Amino acid sequence: MIPIRDSIPGEHFPTVTVGLILANTAVFLVEWLIGPWIEPLINNFGVVPVRIVTEWYNPRVLLTLFTAMYLHAGWAHLIGNMIYLGVFGNNVEDRMGHGRFFLFYTLSGLAAWAAQIAAAPTSTLPGIGASGAIAGVLGAYLLLFPHASVEVVVPLPLLFTTFSLPALVVLGGWFLVQFLNGLMTVSVVTQTGGVAWWAHIGGFVAGMVLMPFFRRKRRVSASPYDVSELWRGGR
């Protein structure tokens, strides 16, 4: 299932969400244009767990925790991530404000890499992608708008149709898939690459934990789906 829109109207232009989509797209276009030089780029700017563990004192190595969030392995990787960020990021940004949202997004991404490194500390494969940070956005959205309606599409050859589901089902189901796949990799030592399941899990959990600290206080709920008032302090 691919989400294409939700039922929550945005209150402000999602400056940071749009900026992140443009930044990720621009970086990927650079990757695409340099062609054969892409492998050295990913090796130098992707997160290599064993390098982080053994060279944690090296600023250049630590910098990859940030640069890796803006690199992608292909068009499908990029487009999939940007769809999720576009659908769910605008409303989370509304509830946090632009600056807070960018900091929240970055911290979620760092937490995602921390989880992936903890799961595979000896891996020599570089990890790249914005999905860990975006998973944090999904975790925050799930707490803020569990009853929102999300329109999804099923891209099957003979069943290309759209229908609406509660955010709790869409995002809860997404997390369950990540968690089950992550469990299956716990006892597997591999150097073949693939999806960074634990980055997704770590980012999602971090987003849920961080959301109450970054959500702005609101006097009036703007939508019947908005439960952000439940997260107000002192109530």
Short mmCIF file of all heavy atoms in Angstrom, two decimals, residues 163-224:
data_model
loop_
_atom_site.label_atom_id
_atom_site.label_comp_id
_atom_site.label_asym_id
_atom_site.label_seq_id
_atom_site.Cartn_x
_atom_site.Cartn_y
_atom_site.Cartn_z
N PHE A 163 -8.32 3.40 -1.57
CA PHE A 163 -9.31 3.32 -0.50
C PHE A 163 -8.71 3.97 0.73
O PHE A 163 -7.52 4.23 0.82
CB PHE A 163 -9.72 1.88 -0.22
CG PHE A 163 -8.58 0.94 0.05
CD1 PHE A 163 -8.15 0.68 1.34
CD2 PHE A 163 -7.93 0.30 -1.01
CE1 PHE A 163 -7.11 -0.18 1.60
CE2 PHE A 163 -6.88 -0.58 -0.76
CZ PHE A 163 -6.47 -0.81 0.54
N SER A 164 -9.56 4.28 1.70
CA SER A 164 -9.14 5.00 2.91
C SER A 164 -9.08 4.07 4.11
O SER A 164 -9.93 3.20 4.28
CB SER A 164 -10.09 6.16 3.19
OG SER A 164 -10.05 7.11 2.16
N LEU A 165 -8.06 4.31 4.95
CA LEU A 165 -7.87 3.55 6.17
C LEU A 165 -7.49 4.51 7.29
O LEU A 165 -6.91 5.56 7.04
CB LEU A 165 -6.76 2.51 6.00
CG LEU A 165 -7.01 1.33 5.06
CD1 LEU A 165 -5.72 0.55 4.85
CD2 LEU A 165 -8.12 0.43 5.61
N PRO A 166 -7.77 4.16 8.53
CA PRO A 166 -7.32 5.00 9.65
C PRO A 166 -5.79 5.03 9.71
O PRO A 166 -5.13 4.02 9.39
CB PRO A 166 -7.90 4.30 10.88
CG PRO A 166 -9.01 3.45 10.36
CD PRO A 166 -8.60 3.03 8.99
N ALA A 167 -5.24 6.14 10.12
CA ALA A 167 -3.79 6.26 10.24
C ALA A 167 -3.23 5.20 11.18
O ALA A 167 -2.12 4.69 10.97
CB ALA A 167 -3.43 7.66 10.76
N LEU A 168 -4.00 4.85 12.20
CA LEU A 168 -3.56 3.83 13.15
C LEU A 168 -3.30 2.50 12.44
O LEU A 168 -2.35 1.78 12.76
CB LEU A 168 -4.61 3.64 14.24
CG LEU A 168 -4.28 2.65 15.36
CD1 LEU A 168 -3.05 3.11 16.12
CD2 LEU A 168 -5.46 2.49 16.30
N VAL A 169 -4.13 2.18 11.46
CA VAL A 169 -3.97 0.94 10.71
C VAL A 169 -2.79 1.04 9.74
O VAL A 169 -1.94 0.14 9.66
CB VAL A 169 -5.26 0.60 9.94
CG1 VAL A 169 -5.04 -0.60 9.01
CG2 VAL A 169 -6.40 0.33 10.91
N VAL A 170 -2.71 2.14 9.00
CA VAL A 170 -1.65 2.31 8.00
C VAL A 170 -0.27 2.34 8.66
O VAL A 170 0.64 1.60 8.27
CB VAL A 170 -1.88 3.60 7.18
CG1 VAL A 170 -0.72 3.84 6.22
CG2 VAL A 170 -3.19 3.51 6.41
N LEU A 171 -0.12 3.20 9.66
CA LEU A 171 1.20 3.37 10.27
C LEU A 171 1.51 2.25 11.27
O LEU A 171 2.66 1.84 11.40
CB LEU A 171 1.28 4.73 10.95
CG LEU A 171 1.11 5.92 9.98
CD1 LEU A 171 1.23 7.24 10.73
CD2 LEU A 171 2.14 5.84 8.86
N GLY A 172 0.47 1.78 11.98
CA GLY A 172 0.68 0.64 12.86
C GLY A 172 1.10 -0.59 12.06
O GLY A 172 2.00 -1.34 12.47
N GLY A 173 0.46 -0.80 10.92
CA GLY A 173 0.81 -1.91 10.05
C GLY A 173 2.22 -1.75 9.49
O GLY A 173 2.98 -2.72 9.38
N TRP A 174 2.57 -0.52 9.12
CA TRP A 174 3.92 -0.25 8.60
C TRP A 174 4.97 -0.61 9.65
O TRP A 174 5.96 -1.28 9.35
CB TRP A 174 4.03 1.23 8.22
CG TRP A 174 5.37 1.61 7.66
CD1 TRP A 174 5.74 1.61 6.34
CD2 TRP A 174 6.51 2.07 8.39
NE1 TRP A 174 7.05 2.02 6.22
CE2 TRP A 174 7.55 2.31 7.46
CE3 TRP A 174 6.76 2.28 9.75
CZ2 TRP A 174 8.81 2.76 7.84
CZ3 TRP A 174 8.03 2.73 10.14
CH2 TRP A 174 9.04 2.97 9.19
N PHE A 175 4.74 -0.18 10.90
CA PHE A 175 5.72 -0.47 11.95
C PHE A 175 5.81 -1.96 12.22
O PHE A 175 6.90 -2.50 12.45
CB PHE A 175 5.35 0.27 13.24
CG PHE A 175 6.32 0.00 14.36
CD1 PHE A 175 7.57 0.59 14.38
CD2 PHE A 175 5.97 -0.88 15.38
CE1 PHE A 175 8.47 0.33 15.40
CE2 PHE A 175 6.86 -1.15 16.41
CZ PHE A 175 8.12 -0.54 16.41
N LEU A 176 4.68 -2.65 12.20
CA LEU A 176 4.68 -4.09 12.45
C LEU A 176 5.53 -4.82 11.41
O LEU A 176 6.30 -5.73 11.75
CB LEU A 176 3.25 -4.62 12.42
CG LEU A 176 3.09 -6.13 12.71
CD1 LEU A 176 3.62 -6.49 14.09
CD2 LEU A 176 1.63 -6.54 12.56
N VAL A 177 5.42 -4.42 10.16
CA VAL A 177 6.22 -5.02 9.10
C VAL A 177 7.71 -4.79 9.36
O VAL A 177 8.54 -5.70 9.23
CB VAL A 177 5.82 -4.45 7.72
CG1 VAL A 177 6.83 -4.88 6.65
CG2 VAL A 177 4.42 -4.91 7.35
N GLN A 178 8.06 -3.55 9.74
CA GLN A 178 9.47 -3.24 10.02
C GLN A 178 9.98 -4.09 11.19
O GLN A 178 11.09 -4.63 11.15
CB GLN A 178 9.66 -1.76 10.36
CG GLN A 178 8.98 -0.78 9.43
CD GLN A 178 9.29 -1.00 7.97
OE1 GLN A 178 10.45 -1.07 7.57
NE2 GLN A 178 8.25 -1.11 7.16
N PHE A 179 9.16 -4.19 12.24
CA PHE A 179 9.57 -4.90 13.45
C PHE A 179 9.76 -6.39 13.18
O PHE A 179 10.76 -6.99 13.60
CB PHE A 179 8.54 -4.69 14.56
CG PHE A 179 8.95 -5.28 15.87
CD1 PHE A 179 9.97 -4.70 16.62
CD2 PHE A 179 8.32 -6.41 16.36
CE1 PHE A 179 10.36 -5.25 17.84
CE2 PHE A 179 8.71 -6.96 17.58
CZ PHE A 179 9.72 -6.38 18.32
N LEU A 180 8.84 -7.00 12.47
CA LEU A 180 8.95 -8.43 12.17
C LEU A 180 10.16 -8.71 11.29
O LEU A 180 10.88 -9.70 11.51
CB LEU A 180 7.67 -8.93 11.50
CG LEU A 180 6.41 -8.93 12.37
CD1 LEU A 180 5.20 -9.38 11.57
CD2 LEU A 180 6.60 -9.82 13.59
N ASN A 181 10.39 -7.86 10.31
CA ASN A 181 11.57 -8.05 9.46
C ASN A 181 12.85 -7.82 10.24
O ASN A 181 13.86 -8.49 10.03
CB ASN A 181 11.51 -7.11 8.25
CG ASN A 181 10.64 -7.65 7.14
OD1 ASN A 181 11.02 -8.55 6.40
ND2 ASN A 181 9.43 -7.11 7.03
N GLY A 182 12.82 -6.84 11.16
CA GLY A 182 13.98 -6.60 12.00
C GLY A 182 14.31 -7.79 12.87
O GLY A 182 15.48 -8.16 13.02
N LEU A 183 13.28 -8.42 13.44
CA LEU A 183 13.50 -9.61 14.27
C LEU A 183 14.15 -10.73 13.48
O LEU A 183 14.99 -11.47 14.00
CB LEU A 183 12.18 -10.08 14.86
CG LEU A 183 11.57 -9.24 15.98
CD1 LEU A 183 10.26 -9.86 16.46
CD2 LEU A 183 12.53 -9.10 17.15
N MET A 184 13.77 -10.85 12.22
CA MET A 184 14.33 -11.92 11.39
C MET A 184 15.80 -11.71 11.06
O MET A 184 16.48 -12.64 10.63
CB MET A 184 13.50 -12.07 10.11
CG MET A 184 12.13 -12.68 10.34
SD MET A 184 11.28 -13.14 8.81
CE MET A 184 10.93 -11.51 8.11
N THR A 185 16.29 -10.48 11.22
CA THR A 185 17.69 -10.21 10.92
C THR A 185 18.58 -10.26 12.16
O THR A 185 19.80 -10.14 12.04
CB THR A 185 17.86 -8.82 10.27
OG1 THR A 185 17.53 -7.79 11.24
CG2 THR A 185 16.97 -8.66 9.06
N VAL A 186 17.98 -10.45 13.35
CA VAL A 186 18.77 -10.40 14.58
C VAL A 186 19.87 -11.43 14.60
O VAL A 186 21.01 -11.15 14.97
CB VAL A 186 17.85 -10.59 15.81
CG1 VAL A 186 18.68 -10.82 17.07
CG2 VAL A 186 16.96 -9.37 16.00
N SER A 187 19.56 -12.65 14.20
CA SER A 187 20.54 -13.73 14.27
C SER A 187 21.24 -13.98 12.94
O SER A 187 21.94 -14.97 12.78
CB SER A 187 19.86 -15.02 14.73
OG SER A 187 18.85 -15.40 13.82
N VAL A 188 21.05 -13.06 12.00
CA VAL A 188 21.65 -13.25 10.67
C VAL A 188 22.80 -12.29 10.49
O VAL A 188 22.64 -11.08 10.60
CB VAL A 188 20.60 -13.02 9.55
CG1 VAL A 188 21.26 -13.16 8.20
CG2 VAL A 188 19.45 -14.00 9.71
N VAL A 189 23.97 -12.82 10.22
CA VAL A 189 25.13 -12.00 9.93
C VAL A 189 25.29 -11.97 8.42
O VAL A 189 25.51 -12.99 7.79
CB VAL A 189 26.41 -12.56 10.58
CG1 VAL A 189 27.61 -11.71 10.22
CG2 VAL A 189 26.24 -12.64 12.09
N THR A 190 25.13 -10.79 7.82
CA THR A 190 25.19 -10.70 6.37
C THR A 190 25.91 -9.46 5.91
O THR A 190 25.93 -8.46 6.60
CB THR A 190 23.76 -10.71 5.77
OG1 THR A 190 23.85 -10.60 4.35
CG2 THR A 190 22.94 -9.54 6.30
N GLN A 191 26.50 -9.56 4.75
CA GLN A 191 27.15 -8.42 4.14
C GLN A 191 26.59 -8.20 2.74
O GLN A 191 27.26 -7.73 1.84
CB GLN A 191 28.67 -8.66 4.07
CG GLN A 191 29.37 -8.67 5.41
CD GLN A 191 29.37 -7.31 6.07
OE1 GLN A 191 29.44 -6.29 5.40
NE2 GLN A 191 29.29 -7.26 7.38
N THR A 192 25.32 -8.57 2.57
CA THR A 192 24.71 -8.48 1.24
C THR A 192 23.89 -7.23 1.04
O THR A 192 23.36 -7.00 -0.02
CB THR A 192 23.80 -9.71 1.00
OG1 THR A 192 22.79 -9.75 2.01
CG2 THR A 192 24.61 -11.00 1.05
N GLY A 193 23.77 -6.41 2.09
CA GLY A 193 23.01 -5.19 1.95
C GLY A 193 21.52 -5.44 2.12
O GLY A 193 21.08 -6.50 2.53
N GLY A 194 20.72 -4.42 1.78
CA GLY A 194 19.28 -4.57 1.90
C GLY A 194 18.68 -3.43 2.71
O GLY A 194 19.28 -2.37 2.87
N VAL A 195 17.48 -3.66 3.24
CA VAL A 195 16.75 -2.64 3.97
C VAL A 195 17.27 -2.54 5.41
O VAL A 195 17.49 -3.56 6.07
CB VAL A 195 15.24 -2.97 3.99
CG1 VAL A 195 14.48 -1.93 4.79
CG2 VAL A 195 14.71 -3.07 2.57
N ALA A 196 17.46 -1.31 5.87
CA ALA A 196 17.92 -1.09 7.25
C ALA A 196 16.71 -1.10 8.17
O ALA A 196 16.25 -0.05 8.63
CB ALA A 196 18.68 0.23 7.33
N TRP A 197 16.21 -2.30 8.46
CA TRP A 197 14.97 -2.43 9.24
C TRP A 197 15.09 -1.76 10.60
O TRP A 197 14.14 -1.11 11.06
CB TRP A 197 14.61 -3.90 9.40
CG TRP A 197 14.41 -4.64 8.13
CD1 TRP A 197 15.22 -5.61 7.59
CD2 TRP A 197 13.32 -4.48 7.20
NE1 TRP A 197 14.72 -6.06 6.40
CE2 TRP A 197 13.55 -5.38 6.13
CE3 TRP A 197 12.19 -3.67 7.16
CZ2 TRP A 197 12.69 -5.50 5.05
CZ3 TRP A 197 11.32 -3.77 6.08
CH2 TRP A 197 11.57 -4.67 5.05
N TRP A 198 16.24 -1.93 11.27
CA TRP A 198 16.37 -1.39 12.62
C TRP A 198 16.47 0.13 12.62
O TRP A 198 16.15 0.77 13.62
CB TRP A 198 17.53 -2.05 13.35
CG TRP A 198 17.16 -3.44 13.74
CD1 TRP A 198 17.49 -4.60 13.11
CD2 TRP A 198 16.30 -3.81 14.83
NE1 TRP A 198 16.90 -5.68 13.73
CE2 TRP A 198 16.17 -5.23 14.79
CE3 TRP A 198 15.64 -3.10 15.83
CZ2 TRP A 198 15.41 -5.93 15.72
CZ3 TRP A 198 14.87 -3.80 16.76
CH2 TRP A 198 14.76 -5.18 16.70
N ALA A 199 16.92 0.70 11.53
CA ALA A 199 16.90 2.17 11.42
C ALA A 199 15.46 2.65 11.38
O ALA A 199 15.11 3.66 12.00
CB ALA A 199 17.65 2.61 10.16
N HIS A 200 14.60 1.93 10.67
CA HIS A 200 13.19 2.29 10.61
C HIS A 200 12.54 2.15 11.99
O HIS A 200 11.79 3.03 12.43
CB HIS A 200 12.44 1.38 9.63
CG HIS A 200 12.93 1.49 8.22
ND1 HIS A 200 12.48 0.67 7.21
CD2 HIS A 200 13.83 2.34 7.64
CE1 HIS A 200 13.08 1.01 6.07
NE2 HIS A 200 13.90 2.01 6.32
N ILE A 201 12.85 1.05 12.67
CA ILE A 201 12.29 0.82 14.00
C ILE A 201 12.76 1.90 14.97
O ILE A 201 11.97 2.49 15.72
CB ILE A 201 12.69 -0.58 14.51
CG1 ILE A 201 12.07 -1.66 13.61
CG2 ILE A 201 12.26 -0.78 15.96
CD1 ILE A 201 12.65 -3.05 13.82
N GLY A 202 14.07 2.14 14.98
CA GLY A 202 14.63 3.14 15.88
C GLY A 202 14.10 4.54 15.62
O GLY A 202 13.80 5.28 16.55
N GLY A 203 13.97 4.90 14.35
CA GLY A 203 13.45 6.22 14.01
C GLY A 203 12.00 6.38 14.44
O GLY A 203 11.60 7.42 14.97
N PHE A 204 11.19 5.36 14.22
CA PHE A 204 9.77 5.40 14.57
C PHE A 204 9.59 5.56 16.08
O PHE A 204 8.81 6.41 16.55
CB PHE A 204 9.09 4.11 14.09
CG PHE A 204 7.59 4.14 14.11
CD1 PHE A 204 6.87 4.53 12.99
CD2 PHE A 204 6.89 3.78 15.25
CE1 PHE A 204 5.48 4.54 12.99
CE2 PHE A 204 5.51 3.78 15.27
CZ PHE A 204 4.80 4.17 14.15
N VAL A 205 10.31 4.75 16.84
CA VAL A 205 10.20 4.82 18.31
C VAL A 205 10.71 6.17 18.80
O VAL A 205 10.11 6.80 19.69
CB VAL A 205 11.00 3.68 18.96
CG1 VAL A 205 11.06 3.85 20.48
CG2 VAL A 205 10.37 2.33 18.61
N ALA A 206 11.82 6.66 18.22
CA ALA A 206 12.35 7.96 18.61
C ALA A 206 11.34 9.06 18.34
O ALA A 206 11.17 9.99 19.14
CB ALA A 206 13.65 8.24 17.86
N GLY A 207 10.64 8.97 17.20
CA GLY A 207 9.63 9.98 16.87
C GLY A 207 8.51 10.01 17.89
O GLY A 207 8.02 11.09 18.27
N MET A 208 8.10 8.85 18.37
CA MET A 208 7.03 8.79 19.37
C MET A 208 7.51 9.35 20.71
O MET A 208 6.76 10.04 21.40
CB MET A 208 6.56 7.33 19.55
CG MET A 208 5.95 6.73 18.30
SD MET A 208 5.35 5.04 18.53
CE MET A 208 3.84 5.34 19.44
N VAL A 209 8.75 9.07 21.05
CA VAL A 209 9.29 9.55 22.33
C VAL A 209 9.54 11.06 22.29
O VAL A 209 9.24 11.78 23.26
CB VAL A 209 10.61 8.82 22.66
CG1 VAL A 209 11.30 9.46 23.87
CG2 VAL A 209 10.35 7.34 22.92
N LEU A 210 10.04 11.56 21.17
CA LEU A 210 10.39 12.98 21.06
C LEU A 210 9.20 13.89 20.82
O LEU A 210 9.23 15.06 21.18
CB LEU A 210 11.40 13.17 19.92
CG LEU A 210 12.80 12.59 20.12
CD1 LEU A 210 13.59 12.68 18.83
CD2 LEU A 210 13.52 13.32 21.24
N MET A 211 8.13 13.36 20.21
CA MET A 211 7.02 14.21 19.80
C MET A 211 6.49 15.13 20.90
O MET A 211 6.32 16.34 20.68
CB MET A 211 5.89 13.35 19.23
CG MET A 211 4.71 14.14 18.65
SD MET A 211 3.55 14.77 19.89
CE MET A 211 2.83 13.23 20.49
N PRO A 212 6.22 14.63 22.13
CA PRO A 212 5.67 15.52 23.15
C PRO A 212 6.57 16.70 23.50
O PRO A 212 6.09 17.75 23.92
CB PRO A 212 5.50 14.59 24.37
CG PRO A 212 5.39 13.22 23.79
CD PRO A 212 6.31 13.24 22.61
N PHE A 213 7.88 16.55 23.31
CA PHE A 213 8.82 17.62 23.63
C PHE A 213 8.90 18.68 22.53
O PHE A 213 9.36 19.80 22.76
CB PHE A 213 10.22 17.04 23.88
CG PHE A 213 10.27 16.06 25.02
CD1 PHE A 213 10.24 14.69 24.77
CD2 PHE A 213 10.32 16.51 26.32
CE1 PHE A 213 10.27 13.79 25.82
CE2 PHE A 213 10.36 15.61 27.39
CZ PHE A 213 10.33 14.24 27.13
N PHE A 214 8.47 18.32 21.33
CA PHE A 214 8.58 19.24 20.19
C PHE A 214 7.24 19.81 19.76
O PHE A 214 7.20 20.81 19.04
CB PHE A 214 9.24 18.52 19.00
CG PHE A 214 10.72 18.36 19.15
CD1 PHE A 214 11.25 17.29 19.85
CD2 PHE A 214 11.59 19.28 18.61
CE1 PHE A 214 12.61 17.13 20.01
CE2 PHE A 214 12.96 19.14 18.75
CZ PHE A 214 13.47 18.07 19.47
N ARG A 215 6.14 19.21 20.20
CA ARG A 215 4.82 19.70 19.82
C ARG A 215 4.54 21.04 20.49
O ARG A 215 4.79 21.23 21.68
CB ARG A 215 3.75 18.69 20.26
CG ARG A 215 2.33 19.09 19.90
CD ARG A 215 1.34 18.30 20.74
NE ARG A 215 1.67 18.33 22.15
CZ ARG A 215 1.42 19.36 22.95
NH1 ARG A 215 0.84 20.45 22.48
NH2 ARG A 215 1.76 19.31 24.23
N ARG A 216 4.04 21.98 19.71
CA ARG A 216 3.68 23.29 20.26
C ARG A 216 2.37 23.20 21.01
O ARG A 216 1.51 22.41 20.68
CB ARG A 216 3.56 24.33 19.14
CG ARG A 216 4.86 24.65 18.45
CD ARG A 216 4.69 25.79 17.46
NE ARG A 216 3.72 25.47 16.41
CZ ARG A 216 3.49 26.26 15.37
NH1 ARG A 216 4.14 27.39 15.24
NH2 ARG A 216 2.60 25.91 14.45
N LYS A 217 2.20 24.05 22.02
CA LYS A 217 0.94 24.12 22.75
C LYS A 217 -0.13 24.71 21.83
O LYS A 217 0.10 25.64 21.08
CB LYS A 217 1.08 25.02 23.99
CG LYS A 217 2.08 24.49 25.00
CD LYS A 217 1.57 23.20 25.62
CE LYS A 217 2.48 22.74 26.76
NZ LYS A 217 3.82 22.36 26.33
N ARG A 218 -1.33 24.13 21.89
CA ARG A 218 -2.43 24.60 21.04
C ARG A 218 -3.65 24.84 21.92
O ARG A 218 -4.02 24.01 22.74
CB ARG A 218 -2.77 23.54 19.98
CG ARG A 218 -1.66 23.33 18.98
CD ARG A 218 -1.95 22.12 18.09
NE ARG A 218 -3.22 22.24 17.40
CZ ARG A 218 -3.41 22.95 16.30
NH1 ARG A 218 -2.42 23.64 15.79
NH2 ARG A 218 -4.59 22.98 15.73
N ARG A 219 -4.31 25.97 21.74
CA ARG A 219 -5.50 26.28 22.54
C ARG A 219 -6.76 25.64 21.98
O ARG A 219 -7.67 25.28 22.70
CB ARG A 219 -5.70 27.80 22.62
CG ARG A 219 -4.64 28.51 23.44
CD ARG A 219 -4.92 29.98 23.53
NE ARG A 219 -4.91 30.61 22.22
CZ ARG A 219 -5.22 31.88 22.00
NH1 ARG A 219 -5.60 32.65 23.01
NH2 ARG A 219 -5.17 32.39 20.80
N VAL A 220 -6.81 25.49 20.65
CA VAL A 220 -8.01 24.94 20.02
C VAL A 220 -7.60 23.88 19.02
O VAL A 220 -6.71 24.09 18.22
CB VAL A 220 -8.81 26.04 19.28
CG1 VAL A 220 -10.04 25.43 18.61
CG2 VAL A 220 -9.21 27.15 20.24
N SER A 221 -8.27 22.75 19.06
CA SER A 221 -7.99 21.69 18.10
C SER A 221 -8.59 22.09 16.76
O SER A 221 -9.78 22.42 16.66
CB SER A 221 -8.60 20.37 18.58
OG SER A 221 -8.35 19.35 17.63
N ALA A 222 -7.78 22.03 15.70
CA ALA A 222 -8.24 22.49 14.38
C ALA A 222 -8.98 21.40 13.61
O ALA A 222 -9.57 21.67 12.59
CB ALA A 222 -7.03 22.94 13.55
N SER A 223 -8.99 20.18 14.13
CA SER A 223 -9.60 19.09 13.38
C SER A 223 -10.14 18.05 14.36
O SER A 223 -9.56 17.82 15.41
CB SER A 223 -8.56 18.45 12.45
OG SER A 223 -9.01 17.20 12.00
N PRO A 224 -11.24 17.40 14.01
CA PRO A 224 -11.75 16.34 14.88
C PRO A 224 -10.80 15.15 14.96
O PRO A 224 -10.92 14.32 15.84
CB PRO A 224 -13.07 15.94 14.20
CG PRO A 224 -12.92 16.37 12.77
CD PRO A 224 -12.10 17.63 12.83
#
